[in-house]
Amino acid sequence: MSARHPHPSLGTDPTPLAGLTVVDLSTTLPGAQATQFLADGGADVVQIEPPEGHPLRATAAWPALARGRRSVALDLADGGDRSLLDGLLGRADVLVTTCRPRARKKLGLTPRALSASHPRLVSAAITGWGSSGPWAELKGYEGLVMAKLGMFHAKRLVAPRPGPSFVSVPYASWGAAHSAVHGILAALIERESSGVGQHVEADLTRGVGMLDTWQWFAEMIGLRWPGAYETTDAFSPEGEPQGALLFPLLAAPTKDGAWLQFAQTEPRLFVAMLKEFGLGYMLTDPEWKDIPRFEDQERKSRLWEIMFRKVAERTLAEWQEVFRTNPDISAELFRSGPAVLDHPQLLHDERTVVVEDPERGPVRQPSTLVHADGRPLSAPRPAPRLDEHRADVLRPTPTPTAPNAPAASAPATTALPLEGVTILEFGLMFAAPFGATMLTDLGARVIKVESLTGDTIRGVLPFPESGGARVMQGKESICVDLHTEDGRRIVHALARRCDVVLQSFRAGAAERAGVDAATLRALNPDLIYVNAPGYGVDGPYGRKPAYAPSVAAAAGLALTDAPDAAARITSLAEVKSSSLRLNQAAAVPTLQVDGVSALGAASAMLLALLARRRGRSLGDLTVTMLGTATHTLVEQVVDYPDRPQSPRVDPGSHGFDALYRMYEAAEGWVFLAAPAPREWQPLVEALGSPPELTDERFAAAGSRRDHDAALAEALAGIFRRRAAADWEEQLTAADVGCVRVHEEYPEVLLQTDEALAAEYTVEAVSPVFQEHPRRDPHVRFSRSSTRAKGGCMAGEHTDALLAELGYPATEIAGLRERKIVGG
């Protein structure tokens, strides 16, 4: 464990990244989200903008994304400005880019060139597909990545029509942004020892892969052992419910038309739900035997309809009174847009802030992703004006001598960047625990504390261990009864030896279990303590259960992808259709808020580890599912006078506009991404200059926007003439963003396509699945290594960990006999 020590570059700023300079050359959302996190942590982020300004300046999110950074406008095609950039890089700690590999080469920003000129620099490249493999040089628009991977297929039931559904939540950008954050922070941690920087790579393809909970293993079992178990889609082709979880996770409208997302997945909570609905008799009525796990479709459909009617008997106000007075009933209102920031828990936690912007006035936005000791990590600051800080940033200054600069002959390490770090994990399911899983790939040792029966995620699928196989990757498991004094003594001994504790219990549970921050810090003063609950460590929702569908409803993810699904409706058929669409918008295992939250939890732990290495004590850190989701949707939730309109998915779930949407081809579907004005003429030429596109209404960018519906109709007619695969080949050859929409789950595609499997998967070993493919680590390093382990069984390491603590074999046997430990 690293001792705290003063760091010569820190000065008096209390934020964890004070003294670090980040040069941001990125031009897209994932780069901005990554450097926003670094700026919120106290880093001096210098935004290099083209003379006409950053492309994201036109978006509603810019005042929040760019907060706290400094702006310098440079023309990198100009030799003088390129020299100014080199001067900045000589003083910088981190460089972030989002251009394709060939563009980096043209700018002279290859890893080799940067390492030679700036050996202490950590350079991070965020791309769409990675720097190698068959897709490396495709354009990196989020829609292209999501379409080609099969994400639109995974969300197909969100669309009000047959076929794939456009996903408007920027899941892939968020995944890539925080994959890059993980790489940057891990490389900076490693640099504290070696004194040498390195190159880090993250991409949207691997980033969005971090959101899947268990679909990878569900598909792998089907491929390896056909017929091993029968999979059941959540809904029948007729839109009727088939999965048992649809009933405790009911989405339904109230008497006055407000839509609620219930979260009653624990058996006792579902019983409470039935009783509150006045349906308690069903628990003993032979007609409803096995509720809600019926074999026959008739009872499934009838129960669904009865539950809809019961919700519709009360108004929203009446239901809110139920939620206030009955602790066993919980539901979230489907929110969207800036109204998300009115959530009572966000207000209680100070996760909604107002920043006075000199150009825009008061800007309401999410506070920092990570809070320390119950407060935002740093004070809110406005976004810069274009080139506002040119004089300050470019003022010649002597380059300071780095206190840990290596000798010229210092060898470059290839070790794991988090080697020697130990994390003790208390948590259930996926949202926080998978954050620790990601860090095992970077070398951290993670000890998972489970109950004697194991984490409930292990049993959510009918094939043994498949539900939890992914979240258990790389971990050691010990099963302990925390309700006993002997059990607490064991975890206290583990805490003395750990660097980080990650806990995600509801408010008050950690204190009751004796694993709260005060208790464990008394045993280990250097301990990093990270809370990662669904809602908060206290407050109005702190004790409520948090599940992916309910948090997705509260944070606006569901209504961003299906904005018209919660409209006021009257017929039962409309209720069923909207409930289905909202469920799929919020709860598909491939894309959901649990993975979004896990990325934030991992970033919080890495931030704290780097802060400690730099001599900073941050106190207790908190990152929540709800708060993290608001950062993912910053474009929708930020609010200020005269804000630009945010993109909104069209009623048919095709996309945002004519030049960024899906089109049905003669065979299959294509996704077109050519939104920039400079991309129009190459698109027209790649399509063969069809006469439909020579219409004067489409000649200029502004006119194309004004006649978007007509342009979409013209393009639809063109794309219907050929198969999707042909269009992809023709347009990508001309470097136009157009791909065939893959109509299969991404978890199948990446396991069955040999070229993609070679690029994006690795082999791992688990006690259940033996040698098997898994997604490769989400971040790559030029010097440091990563690893990819398989999962573990509940309590698989109990005896070994107890022996490591000094327990003799006879005492371990006694603990097992008394059911203090298990596994």
Side-chain angles (χ1 to χ4, degrees), residues 448-536:
K448 181 176 181 63
V449 178
E450 302 188 59
S451 69
L452 298 186
T453 55
D455 192 326
T456 52
I457 198 172
R458 293 180 179 274
V460 298
L461 295 182
F463 194 95
E465 295 293 326
S466 55
R470 190 163 194 239
V471 75
M472 303 300 169
Q473 288 172 169
K475 296 181 179 178
E476 299 171 48
S477 170
I478 180 171
C479 288
V480 180
D481 185 353
L482 291 178
H483 298 96
T484 66
E485 188 62 36
D486 285 335
R488 288 191 291 272
R489 189 176 296 115
I490 291 168
V491 298
H492 289 171
L494 289 170
R496 289 189 182 95
R497 296 167 172 239
C498 291
D499 300 281
V500 181
V501 163
L502 173 68
Q503 78 85 17
S504 59
F505 298 146
R506 294 183 219 172
E511 288 79 3
R512 291 192 297 273
V515 295
D516 56 288
T519 299
L520 299 187
R521 279 236 179 83
L523 303 171
N524 181 355
D526 277 345
L527 188 68
I528 293 166
Y529 196 92
V530 178
N531 301 291
Y535 288 107

Side-chain angles (χ1 to χ4, degrees), residues 44-62:
D44 176 18
V45 176
V46 179
Q47 182 70 63
I48 304 300
E49 304 188 58
E52 67 273 16
H54 195 289
L56 294 179
R57 278 189 175 271
T59 67
W62 177 257

Side-chain angles (χ1 to χ4, degrees), residues 82 171 234 496 564 575 776:
R82 184 64 181 78
Y171 288 114
R496 289 189 182 95
D564 61 335
V575 170
D776 65 348

Side-chain angles (χ1 to χ4, degrees), residues 582-597:
L582 289 171
N583 173 277
Q584 295 296 283
V588 172
T590 297
L591 292 171
Q592 40 63 51
V593 74
D594 280 359
V596 166
S597 304

Side-chain angles (χ1 to χ4, degrees), residues 438-789:
M438 295 181 206
L439 301 192
T440 68
D441 287 357
L442 307 186
R445 181 189 190 190
V446 176
I447 300 170
K448 181 176 181 63
V449 178
E450 302 188 59
S451 69
L452 298 186
T453 55
D455 192 326
T456 52
I457 198 172
R458 293 180 179 274
V460 298
L461 295 182
F463 194 95
E465 295 293 326
S466 55
R470 190 163 194 239
V471 75
M472 303 300 169
Q473 288 172 169
K475 296 181 179 178
E476 299 171 48
S477 170
I478 180 171
C479 288
V480 180
D481 185 353
L482 291 178
H483 298 96
T484 66
E485 188 62 36
D486 285 335
R488 288 191 291 272
R489 189 176 296 115
I490 291 168
V491 298
H492 289 171
L494 289 170
R496 289 189 182 95
R497 296 167 172 239
C498 291
D499 300 281
V500 181
V501 163
L502 173 68
Q503 78 85 17
S504 59
F505 298 146
R506 294 183 219 172
E511 288 79 3
R512 291 192 297 273
V515 295
D516 56 288
T519 299
L520 299 187
R521 279 236 179 83
L523 303 171
N524 181 355
D526 277 345
L527 188 68
I528 293 166
Y529 196 92
V530 178
N531 301 291
Y535 288 107
V537 296
D538 55 17
Y541 282 65
R543 296 181 184 273
K544 292 183 180 293
Y547 296 100
S550 54
V551 174
L557 274 74
L559 288 185
T560 297
D561 274 346
D564 61 335
R568 185 68 183 266
I569 52 184
T570 56
S571 73
L572 179 60
E574 290 175 321
V575 170
K576 286 184 173 184
S577 175
S578 288
S579 183
L580 181 158
R581 294 180 63 202
L582 289 171
N583 173 277
Q584 295 296 283
V588 172
T590 297
L591 292 171
Q592 40 63 51
V593 74
D594 280 359
V596 166
S597 304
L599 286 154
S603 294
M605 288 185 281
L606 285 164
L607 182 72
L609 284 164
L610 177 59
R612 193 180 68 177
R613 289 295 300 270
R614 304 181 75 234
R616 291 295 172 93
S617 174
L618 298 183
D620 301 341
L621 299 187
T622 301
V623 56
T624 69
M625 288 178 70
L626 182 61
T628 303
T630 66
H631 278 252
T632 308
L633 285 180
V634 63
E635 170 68 24
Q636 283 71 34
V637 304
V638 68
D639 197 25
Y640 49 93
D642 300 319
R643 74 189 291 278
Q645 184 176 353
S646 297
R648 179 183 171 98
V649 64
D650 71 291
S653 292
H654 296 94
F656 287 143
D657 55 51
L659 297 175
Y660 197 84
R661 60 161 281 174
M662 282 188 291
Y663 290 95
E664 193 166 10
E667 181 182 325
W669 296 74
V670 296
F671 185 83
L672 174 68
R678 68 179 182 277
E679 295 173 307
W680 170 251
Q681 195 56 40
L683 168 64
V684 173
E685 293 174 2
L687 289 172
S689 300
E692 299 98 314
L693 301 185
T694 61
D695 190 310
E696 63 179 12
R697 295 175 298 172
F698 309 146
S703 183
R704 288 195 292 273
R705 284 193 299 271
D706 293 340
H707 299 92
D708 186 75
L711 177 56
E713 184 178 356
L715 287 168
I718 293 168
F719 280 116
R720 278 196 293 266
R721 295 169 187 165
R722 299 182 61 189
D726 294 338
W727 284 123
E728 176 179 337
E729 182 179 4
Q730 179 174 325
L731 270 65
T732 56
D735 199 30
V736 173
C738 181
V739 298
R740 178 175 66 90
V741 178
H742 187 74
E743 295 189 71
E744 192 175 34
Y745 281 103
E747 293 81 8
V748 174
L749 173 66
L750 296 183
Q751 293 185 62
T752 55
D753 185 296
E754 290 186 13
L756 300 179
E759 177 65 19
Y760 298 115
T761 74
V762 291
E763 291 295 316
V765 179
S766 84
V768 174
F769 305 106
Q770 292 84 46
E771 188 172 343
H772 65 86
R774 53 153 281 187
R775 291 182 184 272
D776 65 348
H778 61 306
V779 62
R780 294 179 171 186
F781 300 88
S782 60
R783 288 192 306 103
S784 295
S785 59
T786 58
R787 65 186 181 191
K789 292 187 173 184

